[in-house]
Amino acid sequence: MILYPAIDLKDGQCVRLLRGDMEAATVFGDDPAAQAEAFVAAGCQWLHLVDLNGAFAGKPVNAAAVEAILSRVNVPVQLGGGIRDLATIGAWVEKGLSRVILGTVAVENPDLVREAAREFPGKVAVGIDARKGFVATRGWAEETTVQVTDLAKSFEDAGVAAIIYTDIDRDGAMGGPNIEATRALAEAVSIPVIASGGVSRMEDLIALRDTGVIAGAISGRALYDGAIDLSEAIRQLAR
């Protein structure tokens, strides 16, 4: 199971939100590229970036910070937040992004996801963010009546590289991930599922890995707080 260190970008800084609330942001650093380099030095295989302002604005806002990271690290990088058209996807792929994460458009314009996955094979992931089993969009600000598993299954034949599943109520709360819901989703679809939200200690990572069906896990606050040692976690997950 791959561990993805998370760098959430707000106003050019590294932050973590509590349950997706932009007003409940903790700033962890003002040099995202330096943070990315530190994660790579610790041995990470991937980086997970989120343009938080972009998720609300519907277009990239922290592009300069993302580009700085891409210029300074040599591991694959995935990015979500405000990516809602084919031109933006193409531009990011051209700049060296390994994977774009489509969230809001996966609900509002699923045909775009299919078109992007065809045009950029292996480089398109679907981000499914949920409260109590129902998908939320537009920076988690809008609730829908779409169920997580139904949305995931609708992309089974689309060629998407992964599904990133976030339990919003767990995100940034350091209370542990929703292992059962993530496992159920991973068992329901053939697309690799990456867990996000609430990963707060090594035991959470081991429990996710030991399901045998979850392909990856994203952690942010626990790495910044030191609750999870990234190098040690990578060593243990490789066993």
Side-chain angles (χ1 to χ4, degrees), residues 63-103:
V66 176
E67 288 171 26
I69 290 169
L70 289 172
S71 71
R72 284 166 62 178
V73 302
N74 58 359
V75 301
V77 176
Q78 64 183 23
L79 169 70
I83 303 172
R84 295 183 192 164
D85 59 63
L86 211 57
T88 305
I89 295 165
W92 277 125
V93 170
E94 207 168 280
K95 286 174 180 172
L97 205 66
S98 294
R99 196 185 281 163
V100 296
I101 303 163
L102 304 179

Side-chain angles (χ1 to χ4, degrees), residues 71-141:
S71 71
R72 284 166 62 178
V73 302
N74 58 359
V75 301
V77 176
Q78 64 183 23
L79 169 70
I83 303 172
R84 295 183 192 164
D85 59 63
L86 211 57
T88 305
I89 295 165
W92 277 125
V93 170
E94 207 168 280
K95 286 174 180 172
L97 205 66
S98 294
R99 196 185 281 163
V100 296
I101 303 163
L102 304 179
T104 294
V105 294
V107 177
E108 297 182 359
N109 186 5
D111 287 344
L112 175 69
V113 176
R114 296 171 182 282
E115 187 180 355
R118 280 195 303 272
E119 193 156 327
F120 306 103
K123 295 189 178 294
V124 174
V126 171
I128 300 182
D129 308 323
R131 283 191 183 93
K132 297 174 178 57
F134 291 95
V135 178
T137 61
R138 298 188 175 269
W140 303 350

Side-chain angles (χ1 to χ4, degrees), residues 2-82:
I2 295 172
L3 175 55
Y4 294 73
I7 298 177
D8 288 3
L9 301 164
K10 179 176 184 275
D11 306 331
Q13 299 176 308
C14 298
V15 306
R16 288 300 286 163
L17 305 185
L18 178 61
R19 300 186 182 94
D21 183 357
M22 287 287 267
E23 301 303 314
T26 304
V27 177
F28 284 101
D30 57 9
D31 189 344
Q35 181 62 65
E37 288 180 314
F39 284 149
V40 172
C44 73
Q45 298 162 271
W46 272 84
L47 285 171
H48 173 79
L49 311 184
V50 181
D51 181 347
L52 292 169
N53 302 101
F56 285 91
K59 62 186 183 203
V61 174
N62 287 284
V66 176
E67 288 171 26
I69 290 169
L70 289 172
S71 71
R72 284 166 62 178
V73 302
N74 58 359
V75 301
V77 176
Q78 64 183 23
L79 169 70

Side-chain angles (χ1 to χ4, degrees), residues 183-227:
R183 181 212 299 262
L185 178 61
E187 288 174 343
V189 295
S190 60
I191 306 164
V193 171
I194 298 167
S196 175
V199 175
S200 54
R201 55 199 185 119
M202 192 62 223
E203 289 85 349
D204 294 334
L205 292 170
I206 298 297
L208 287 166
R209 182 198 66 188
D210 287 352
T211 64
V213 292
I214 295 168
I218 292 166
S219 183
R221 183 179 289 273
L223 299 177
Y224 295 108
D225 286 347

